[in-house]
Amino acid sequence: MAMQIRAALGLDPWDVFHQGLARHVGLSFGTITMIVGAAVLLLWIPLRQRPGLGTVSNVFVIGLSVDAALNLLPAPHGLPLRAAVLAGGVVLNGVASGLYIGARFGPGPRDGLMTGFVRRSGRSVRLVRTSIEVTVLTVGWLMGGQVGVGTVVYALAIGPLVQLFLPLFTVPHANDSSGARPDGSGGDHAGRVRGGAVARLRAVDEPDLVASAPTMSTTGTVPSNE
């Protein structure tokens, strides 16, 4: 996230909102991220969503980490270097998403908000997620958050990147009996994880549903709420 901010070429929708809000209230980007995360988590109550360790960690760890990284990272100069920093940030975000989702400790507040609305409304994941992200993107842009080529790059790249990394990092359930190796080869389970990852990633950046459905079968069947 800090790399994308320093590249100054555009942020993902939620970070456009965070940045726009930070410019008006005089708090750091990371602090705003934590406040918004906590506020979104309150919306889980009427949606009957239950947080996990990953949910609470998402609120605090990301906010503290992004502020620390922003204090360490200088702003790159020149378009080629800025583009490289942007690309690195997006790829690392894909790696981090694979790790965090694969750990199966619950979705982040924003992803849980999406799955909660899907479950309660009966609408498709694609429609609900698009509606939420278009809303926060528009509000963030109106408040001065940066929208640009980086916004488009993130939207197009994050889904395929998570699809690539998720099978490598997904922790199997205790009742999995396969012999899949860390490189993704060997054992029937490896194939099922890859197939499940493809199914779970039909829409851009939808794999957070994996973490919100810890009882999902190892065949990769998508929960009915998707």
Side-chain angles (χ1 to χ4, degrees):
M1 289 168 66
M3 292 172 72
Q4 292 174 71
I5 293 169
R6 286 289 183 249
L9 291 172
L11 306 174
D12 67 271
W14 275 103
D15 284 344
V16 171
F17 178 74
H18 297 147
Q19 188 182 58
L21 193 57
R23 290 180 173 177
H24 286 271
V25 300
L27 297 175
S28 71
F29 184 91
T31 301
I32 290 296
T33 301
M34 289 188 285
I35 292 173
V36 171
V40 170
L41 196 54
L42 292 177
L43 297 176
W44 282 32
I45 297 174
L47 295 174
R48 299 179 183 177
Q49 291 279 94
R50 286 184 289 184
L53 176 62
T55 308
V56 179
S57 299
N58 185 287
V59 173
F60 295 103
V61 174
I62 290 179
L64 296 172
S65 298
V66 70
D67 273 353
L70 285 171
N71 288 329
L72 293 173
L73 290 174
H77 298 287
L79 184 58
L81 184 56
R82 291 167 60 198
V85 171
L86 171 67
V90 173
V91 170
L92 286 176
N93 201 313
V95 173
S97 296
L99 287 165
Y100 135 73
I101 297 165
R104 300 179 185 272
F105 278 116
R110 297 155 189 82
D111 298 311
L113 179 67
M114 174 194 68
T115 58
F117 274 128
V118 168
R119 186 176 295 111
R120 299 288 287 180
S121 69
R123 303 292 184 178
S124 70
V125 169
R126 188 180 298 275
L127 175 62
V128 171
R129 189 178 190 98
T130 300
S131 299
I132 292 174
E133 299 211 351
V134 167
T135 300
V136 297
L137 176 65
T138 302
V139 174
W141 174 70
L142 291 173
M143 291 191 297
Q146 190 174 68
V147 177
V149 64
T151 309
V152 178
V153 169
Y154 184 93
L156 294 177
I158 192 64
L161 284 171
V162 177
Q163 180 172 327
L164 173 65
F165 292 116
L166 184 60
L168 302 178
F169 301 129
T170 296
V171 177
H173 290 298
N175 61 355
D176 288 342
S177 59
S178 72
R181 294 187 289 273
D183 63 357
S185 62
D188 291 339
H189 176 67
R192 291 197 296 269
V193 168
R194 284 194 296 272
V198 171
R200 294 189 296 264
L201 283 157
R202 288 195 303 268
V204 172
D205 198 17
E206 289 181 6
D208 302 282
L209 289 172
V210 178
S212 68
T215 58
M216 188 173 65
S217 72
T218 57
T219 60
T221 303
V222 181
S224 59
N225 67 324
E226 187 173 357

